[in-house]
Amino acid sequence: KQEVTQIPAALSVPEGENLVLNCSFTDSAIYNLQWFRQDPGKGLTSLLLIQSSQREQTSGRLNASLDKSSGRSTLYIAASQPGDSATYLCAPNTGNQFYFGTGTSLTVIP
Amino acid sequence: GAGVSQSPSNKVTEKGKDVELRCDPISGHTALYWYRQRLGQGLEFLIYFQGNSAPDKSGLPSDRFSAERTGESVSTLTIQRTQQEDSAVYLCASSLGPGLGQETQYFGPGTRLLVL
């Protein structure tokens, strides 16, 4: 069964900092990997989906990289803002389902 | 356009009762997923539908859990004889399909279930 680990579990940074969130997974036979954010009391919002054949995917201030063979993905957030405060989840897809990590809780301090 | 909707948003029930949770996916999305998120834990996959069929039921935790989908649209997740450990947020997601470039999942707001 796919095991997903996200490090760090929690992160607090001052506004404006660049930061990196890490995700590792045990089964490298994935089709793609999706990054989500989850705000308290709300559902998940898709941020980026990166295919297994891709190395990077960018959307605005977000950049996701994927090293499928080593079972790692990173989410880079540039020039962080207080509105970025949320829990960030990575979810590799091995076919019919996405396996979720427990997330990184990010707080951006104004 | 409308996103994924779920009802009820909150449900409190007594142990032993049956509950039905509803998910309305985005129109035209052929794939539908149910997940469970217990307090302080990650999302746990329950079941996946492609159209009205469920090729993967491996995540259902027990035979008290069942789900169906009709008209390639609405889905219901039924929990019979609820137990306190069933208390969680139940999340539904849909995507265009399993094909390349169609896998992005869009989530509903969830149903908070509390079993007393």
Side-chain angles (χ1 to χ4, degrees):
Chain A
K1 181 184 173 182
Q2 179 79 275
E3 299 289 337
V4 182
T5 303
Q6 291 189 245
I7 296 172
L11 182 63
S12 183
V13 300
E15 181 177 2
E17 273 204 6
N18 303 324
L19 56 102
V20 175
L21 308 180
N22 297 292
C23 170
S24 61
F25 46 94
T26 55
D27 184 354
S28 61
I30 65 170
Y31 289 90
N32 52 59
L33 182 145
Q34 197 163 0
W35 281 93
F36 297 86
R37 66 175 282 167
Q38 185 172 29
D39 294 279
K42 297 185 179 180
L44 278 69
T45 302
S46 177
L47 298 173
L48 290 164
L49 185 146
I50 182 165
Q51 299 292 345
S52 61
S53 58
Q54 296 177 309
R55 299 283 294 185
E56 282 190 7
Q57 187 71 261
T58 298
S59 176
R61 294 182 294 106
L62 305 179
N63 175 278
S65 68
L66 176 64
D67 184 344
K68 179 184 167 183
S69 59
S70 67
R72 293 178 184 173
S73 178
T74 61
L75 180 68
Y76 175 83
I77 303 176
S80 57
Q81 302 172 356
D84 295 332
S85 298
T87 296
Y88 289 80
L89 301 166
C90 76
N93 175 15
T94 54
N96 293 334
Q97 60 176 290
F98 289 80
Y99 290 88
F100 284 81
T102 51
T104 293
S105 177
L106 172 66
T107 302
V108 181
I109 304 166
Chain B
V4 178
S5 61
Q6 292 186 245
S7 61
S9 53
N10 291 282
K11 177 73 176 178
V12 180
T13 191
E14 293 179 348
K15 178 181 172 181
K17 301 276 190 180
D18 298 351
V19 295
E20 270 194 5
L21 312 180
R22 177 186 170 112
C23 172
D24 286 271
I26 294 172
S27 178
H29 280 197
T30 65
L32 186 147
Y33 306 78
W34 282 99
Y35 296 90
R36 175 170 73 175
Q37 187 173 30
R38 288 177 164 143
L39 189 64
Q41 299 186 19
L43 270 74
E44 177 187 2
F45 168 78
L46 297 179
I47 191 168
Y48 155 71
F49 286 92
Q50 179 54 44
N52 293 332
S53 300
D56 188 351
K57 299 182 181 181
S58 62
L60 293 177
S62 76
D63 60 6
R64 296 187 295 105
F65 286 72
S66 63
E68 66 173 14
R69 189 179 184 196
T70 57
E72 298 198 355
S73 180
V74 65
S75 176
T76 54
L77 176 69
T78 302
I79 309 173
Q80 295 178 311
R81 304 180 303 282
T82 52
Q83 303 293 314
Q84 289 180 332
E85 63 262 28
D86 299 334
S87 296
V89 177
Y90 290 81
L91 291 160
C92 173
S94 70
S95 68
L96 272 171
L100 189 65
Q102 298 183 321
E103 311 96 329
T104 298
Q105 293 194 9
Y106 298 88
F107 277 78
T111 293
R112 267 180 184 69
L113 174 66
L114 177 61
V115 182
L116 300 176

